[in-house]
Amino acid sequence: MMSRNGIGIYWLVVALLGAGMALTGCAATTAPPYGSASIVSEPAGAKVLNLKDGTAIGTTPMQHTWQTEDGKAEYILLLLTAPGYADQVTSFWINPRYGSAGDAEKNPQAIKVNLKQAR
């Protein structure tokens, strides 16, 4: 049989373990991670369209940051267009390694696209 002190310590340990597990669970449910790419083209000035949703995301040279929905690598498919050049599709995987957009933007993946002159 446990003494009163032993029972009190037992419940204290149980309470601390429960609090620790609750805090760990909260930390694991952070926002989905981010990945970033630095996109350049030769020649510069190409318009960049995200083929997933058809949105224009910028003009080269540029940097773009993606927030993944589930924290897994995401396949990115882009279309680059420039007057006098053939449209060019490029694709790559974004690896969401960073917990914030700012951290991802400090370490972008390098993507270079060489556009071919239109015939």
Side-chain angles (χ1 to χ4, degrees):
M1 186 161 147
M2 271 200 233
S3 68
R4 286 190 154 201
N5 262 354
I7 292 173
I9 291 172
Y10 171 79
W11 286 113
L12 177 62
V13 168
V14 168
L16 289 174
L17 286 173
M21 289 169 62
L23 290 175
T24 302
C26 290
T29 59
T30 59
Y34 297 84
S36 188
S38 174
I39 305 162
V40 297
S41 67
E42 183 60 43
K47 183 177 178 181
V48 182
L49 301 169
N50 184 345
L51 290 177
K52 180 177 181 178
D53 59 11
T55 59
I57 61 172
T59 303
T60 62
M62 62 166 289
Q63 186 168 334
H64 189 75
T65 301
W66 285 267
Q67 180 178 12
T68 63
E69 294 178 20
D70 58 6
K72 295 181 181 175
E74 187 172 326
Y75 189 68
I76 305 296
L77 194 60
L78 303 177
L79 173 68
L80 282 78
T81 63
Y85 290 85
D87 291 353
Q88 177 73 39
V89 174
T90 191
S91 61
F92 54 93
W93 287 92
I94 267 293
N95 235 345
R97 296 179 251 191
Y98 302 97
S100 73
D103 287 344
E105 290 162 4
K106 292 176 189 173
N107 300 293
Q109 290 177 226
I111 307 297
K112 183 170 183 182
V113 179
N114 293 314
L115 300 173
K116 296 178 183 171
Q117 288 190 326
R119 296 181 188 232

